[in-house]
Amino acid sequence: MSKVRYGIIGIGNMGSGHARILTDGSIKGAVLTAVCDGFEKQRQWARENLKDVAVFEDSASMIDSGLVDAVIVATPHYDHPVEAIQAFDKGMHVLIEKPAGVYAKQVREMNEAAAASSKKFGIVYNQRMNPLYQKLRDLIVSGELGEIRRTNWIITNWYRSQAYYDSGSWRATWGGEGGGVLINQCPHNLDLWQWTIGMMPKRIRAFCQFGKHRDIEVENDVTAYVEYENGATGVFITATSEAPGTNRFEVSGDRGKIVIEEGRMTFWRLRESETAFNERNKELFGAPECWKIDIPSDGPSPEHAGILQNFTDSVRNNTPLVAPGEEGIKGLTISNAMHLSTWLDGWVDLPFDEALHEAELNKRIAKSAYQRQEASAGSKTV
């Protein structure tokens, strides 16, 4: 096809952002032809700001119009799999916003629908376009860092005030969002955590604190410890009530340590592997020779535009996807396991009991201050 005709499902903050990128002409081979939203206010915005773009009330009508080849799903979290499955059933290519969903069981069903459709399926993990994380992944995959021994990510600069949480009745509720910082702010970090090192944890012990320093239902402060199959360990710490916050990702391996912080990457590279040094060393306080290397940046990250261009190229030319939609379940599995570990007050092995997690989640949804209506192709904000 000469151009991929996009339709956006949900044009709140995220959907309207995609609309602006598509209409400014920066994505080669793509055109925005239609949008839909369950809220009249958003539809009116679209009519006033999106020239020559059809506006619909629901996704079914938009898809049935014949105006679109691919859809971008930018609805509230619970509706991502619902909308994606319906779109696959109607022959659409699908790009979903993060997170893939709220619980692994529904995302697995979405992945199965994608596989059965043979259509392109992507997820907006725009941080995979960041040259820093791409370089980290390259250094690890190539063996430059050696076998991974430890990972530590402190990501506490997701500051959110009470005013933010009070801006919508659905925010920070089990019924509206299905979780807090893990499901709303941290999907990118949880994805990058496993994507860059190429490993999923084998078990997790997490401590989620719900409504810490904020009047909300869900978790906004998390400390988690993980273990990997090769014996490596990891720690993940996040919060939305710390100011100033920190964003420091540290990966230690047999050949040194890499740290990403404040937009810079530093590699403390060992001249020889720690294993080899330890085998030959006879000095009581000997240590491997280490070189500090500042890894140069490959330029700014293309972010959302990069994901949109990559997805468009995949639809048109079968270019490999940087962020396949099927991989959305990996980061979600980690966040689900952190919730379940806290709820059960114990270790959770991966893969975990998805039915048990869903049952525990449903207990909290039933008591939530926010009770959802059926999916209505509404808007998503962050």
Side-chain angles (χ1 to χ4, degrees):
M1 63 181 67
S2 59
K3 286 192 175 183
V4 179
R5 301 175 302 164
Y6 278 99
I8 300 177
I9 305 175
I11 46 173
N13 286 354
M14 301 309 299
S16 61
H18 292 303
R20 291 186 182 96
I21 294 172
L22 287 167
T23 55
D24 71 11
S26 61
I27 308 302
K28 297 179 181 178
V31 61
L32 179 64
T33 54
V35 298
C36 69
D37 199 293
F39 296 104
E40 173 57 28
K41 178 181 178 181
Q42 299 305 126
R43 295 197 298 274
Q44 186 60 36
W45 174 89
R47 296 186 191 101
E48 295 173 356
N49 293 276
L50 302 177
K51 184 179 179 181
D52 299 324
V53 174
V55 180
F56 296 88
E57 186 172 346
D58 59 81
S59 56
S61 298
M62 182 181 75
I63 293 172
D64 289 342
S65 71
L67 294 174
V68 300
D69 307 304
V71 298
I72 300 172
V73 179
T75 58
H77 306 153
Y78 280 104
D79 298 335
H80 290 183
V82 175
E83 294 290 351
I85 290 171
Q86 291 177 353
F88 283 128
D89 289 344
K90 295 190 176 186
M92 296 287 103
H93 302 286
V94 178
L95 178 63
I96 61 169
E97 261 294 345
K98 59 80 180 169
V102 174
Y103 52 97
K105 181 182 175 183
Q106 66 170 177
V107 173
R108 197 172 301 283
E109 294 169 353
M110 176 174 62
N111 287 354
E112 291 170 356
S117 75
S118 74
K119 296 297 181 179
K120 296 297 181 181
F121 179 32
I123 185 168
V124 186
Y125 278 151
N126 55 287
Q127 286 303 304
R128 288 195 184 189
M129 304 301 299
N130 190 319
L132 285 173
Y133 297 114
Q134 290 184 345
K135 177 60 70 174
L136 174 61
R137 175 179 165 87
D138 174 61
L139 291 170
I140 292 173
V141 170
S142 67
E144 191 73 21
L145 189 59
E147 184 179 32
I148 301 301
R149 292 186 169 184
R150 187 186 305 278
T151 65
N152 294 280
W153 202 334
I154 302 175
I155 174 69
T156 57
N157 63 345
W158 289 117
Y159 184 79
R160 296 293 186 271
S161 67
Q162 188 65 46
Y164 165 85
Y165 292 118
D166 290 345
S167 66
S169 60
W170 52 272
R171 284 196 186 279
T173 62
W174 294 111
E177 293 194 279
V181 63
L182 292 176
I183 204 76
N184 198 339
Q185 285 80 32
C186 280
H188 291 300
N189 310 106
L190 294 175
D191 172 64
L192 291 172
W193 193 21
Q194 61 81 28
W195 181 69
T196 53
I197 68 172
M199 296 192 298
M200 286 283 287
K202 72 171 185 178
R203 66 175 190 156
I204 292 176
R205 180 65 175 101
F207 301 88
C208 298
Q209 295 183 314
F210 306 99
K212 186 175 184 179
H213 307 304
R214 297 290 185 270
D215 183 18
I216 59 174
E217 296 178 1
V218 295
E219 86 287 345
N220 63 329
D221 192 299
V222 179
T223 299
Y225 175 83
V226 305
E227 294 179 351
Y228 299 96
E229 196 64 46
N230 72 338
T233 61
V235 174
F236 188 88
I237 298 172
T238 189
T240 64
S241 61
E242 292 185 13
T246 297
N247 184 356
R248 178 184 173 93
F249 186 22
E250 180 175 313
V251 184
S252 297
D254 187 45
R255 295 196 62 89
K257 176 178 72 175
I258 295 176
V259 174
I260 296 178
E261 187 172 19
E262 295 183 351
R264 297 191 299 270
M265 178 186 292
T266 305
F267 187 3
W268 282 267
R269 190 182 189 280
L270 301 185
R271 185 174 184 180
E272 62 182 316
S273 75
E274 189 281 328
T275 300
F277 171 84
N278 188 57
E279 289 176 349
R280 69 169 181 79
N281 176 61
K282 303 302 180 183
E283 298 180 14
L284 188 61
F285 294 103
E289 183 178 347
C290 180
W291 307 327
K292 181 181 178 182
I293 304 169
D294 292 322
I295 304 296
S297 172
D298 288 336
S301 173
E303 299 288 330
H304 293 83
I307 288 290
L308 280 169
Q309 187 63 69
N310 174 249
F311 189 77
T312 300
D313 293 343
S314 184
V315 173
R316 295 179 67 218
N317 305 314
N318 207 32
T319 300
L321 288 168
V322 172
E326 293 85 354
E327 294 184 10
I329 199 170
K330 294 182 178 180
L332 183 67
T333 293
I334 295 173
S335 66
N336 280 181
M338 288 180 181
H339 278 151
L340 191 59
S341 172
T342 301
W343 294 337
L344 301 182
D345 194 20
W347 284 94
V348 170
D349 294 328
L350 274 63
F352 60 85
D353 187 334
E354 294 178 3
L356 175 59
H357 171 270
E358 184 183 10
E360 289 294 325
L361 175 62
N362 283 336
K363 291 179 184 178
R364 287 151 181 85
I365 293 173
K367 297 178 180 179
S368 176
Y370 183 87
Q371 296 299 314
R372 297 178 65 246
Q373 303 297 318
E374 292 300 314
S376 59
S379 309
K380 175 183 178 179
T381 57
V382 294

